[in-house]
Amino acid sequence: SKENNKNGYSFYQFSMGDETERNILLVNDLRKAVLKNELFLLYQPQYHMLGKHIDGVEALVRWNHPKYGVISPLEFISLAEKYNIIDELGEWVLKTACIQFNQWKKDGLILDNIAVNLSKKQLLNPNLIVRIRDILKETHFNPAHLTLEITESATVENVAEITEVLHKIRDMGITIAIDDFGIEYSSLSYLKLLPIDYIKIDRAFINEMEQNAKSEGIVKLIIEFANQLNLDVIAEGVETKYQADMLKQFECEKLQGYYISPPIKSSELKEFVFDKVKI
Ligand code: C2E
Ligand code: CA
Ligand code: CA
Ligand code: CA
């Protein structure tokens, strides 16, 4: 900030160094975090508009670091990608999500779907397809209940390669969603080339719906556009009744966001699904 200008330089350098040191520590610890059982998943409910019920969840990873406490994936996923820990981490997430989903079913909590995030780096790993197949087999998981979320930015480079991988994933019976749609590239034409099922509208657009008529217009357009391509839409980051009402009017298939529920623990989900949601 401006106030820091006079003596801000050394402070800036100090905090940069500090940050790097923390990152080095985190990377070392992250390599062991899976084995030490420090990762855990939260699950954010997704509301199905026509069915008027929670029909699925998105699994979101957290790291309970022994020294720093719970760390956000925004901090450690990029480190995991950079230092080649992402494949192992991603496999742990997928396997844990599949096991949890099966357990819910045994407990009488029947959901249609669980969504798991895949990073771009994972998509480019030639072993990915075999690993997914192995995990589904090991956990006796029906791929019809699995969605893999891929960020829009991951699909923009290496289009041919990514398209091939997505075809293989889809051939297994897995659903594919494009995450964070609309922010960076907004290139609508390439979408029709990709083998996908869902678009997740980035929460930046949802967030601005009330204050900004243009953003609301964009949301409406994306939904209409998706309909024409036979894709379904999830709105993420839905926080207000206004947003939920408008999205209903626009015939958006699913809602995800704090208005429905924040990400919650597995143990909280059962209670939640049956009691809370009314739109
Ligand atoms: P994402 O996939 O876009 O996930 C949605 C993020 O938005 C989550 O943050 C969620 O907690 C947050 N969120 C949900 N509803 C609302 C809302 O109404 N308002 C606001 N302001 N935020 C909301 P989270 O859990 O911190 O995850 C951040 C990102 O980290 C995820 O963004 C995803 O890209 C990545 N991530 C999380 N888990 C995994 C994972 O297992 N593997 C990979 N590769 N990436 C992951
Ligand atoms: Ca996601
Ligand atoms: Ca997203
Ligand atoms: Ca539709």
Side-chain angles (χ1 to χ4, degrees), residues 9-229:
Y9 185 62
S10 58
F11 174 74
Y12 181 69
Q13 275 197 323
F14 172 75
S15 58
M16 285 287 285
D18 213 41
E19 173 75 17
T20 305
E21 222 167 274
R22 176 173 159 117
N23 281 354
I24 292 167
L25 274 173
L26 288 184
V27 169
N28 279 324
D29 292 348
L30 190 54
R31 293 189 198 282
K32 293 168 267 176
V34 175
L35 288 174
K36 288 171 73 188
N37 225 354
E38 290 168 3
L39 299 180
F40 64 98
L41 297 182
L42 294 181
Y43 303 91
Q44 186 169 34
Q46 297 177 330
Y47 180 81
H48 191 276
M49 207 74 101
L50 275 181
K52 297 187 179 195
H53 66 293
I54 300 297
D55 78 331
V57 292
E58 177 178 5
L60 294 158
V61 68
R62 298 290 181 269
W63 178 13
N64 193 4
H65 189 279
K67 187 164 146 207
Y68 299 123
V70 176
I71 302 178
S72 158
L74 294 174
E75 184 169 9
F76 65 85
I77 290 292
S78 58
L79 289 177
E81 289 193 304
K82 195 167 162 196
Y83 295 94
N84 294 320
I85 313 171
I86 192 67
D87 293 323
E88 198 189 343
L89 191 155
E91 285 170 21
W92 180 87
V93 170
L94 179 59
K95 190 170 174 180
T96 305
C98 290
I99 292 170
Q100 184 59 67
F101 189 93
N102 287 341
Q103 187 58 46
W104 285 329
K105 193 173 170 188
K106 279 187 198 148
D107 294 344
L109 172 55
I110 311 290
L111 295 171
D112 194 47
N113 194 262
I114 187 160
V116 169
N117 292 282
L118 271 194
S119 89
K120 178 180 179 176
K121 199 87 182 268
Q122 285 176 277
L123 277 177
L124 295 172
N125 179 347
N127 291 326
L128 177 70
I129 300 300
V130 171
R131 288 305 296 139
I132 293 175
R133 194 168 285 142
D134 286 351
I135 289 169
L136 295 180
K137 215 167 162 188
E138 262 173 69
T139 58
H140 306 285
F141 195 88
N142 178 353
H145 298 303
L146 179 64
T147 297
L148 293 176
E149 297 193 358
I150 289 129
T151 57
E152 185 189 10
S153 59
T155 63
V156 174
E157 297 159 51
N158 311 88
V159 181
E161 211 175 330
I162 298 287
T163 305
E164 199 186 320
V165 176
L166 295 184
H167 271 296
K168 286 181 183 160
I169 292 175
R170 217 156 168 240
D171 287 347
M172 282 190 251
I174 296 167
T175 300
I176 298 174
I178 295 291
D179 208 348
D180 302 343
F181 184 79
I183 35 167
E184 273 177 282
Y185 299 93
S186 311
S187 158
L188 301 179
S189 56
Y190 82 96
L191 258 195
K192 65 175 185 283
L193 304 172
L194 294 174
I196 58 175
D197 306 283
Y198 270 97
I199 288 174
K200 293 189 84 170
I201 306 179
D202 192 73
R203 70 165 184 263
F205 293 110
I206 307 300
N207 198 279
E208 288 173 3
M209 283 173 77
E210 250 155 302
Q211 303 92 318
N212 187 335
K214 278 188 189 156
S215 292
E216 189 168 294
I218 291 171
V219 169
K220 187 165 185 269
L221 254 172
I222 292 176
I223 295 169
E224 284 168 8
F225 168 77
N227 273 337
Q228 293 205 6
L229 294 185

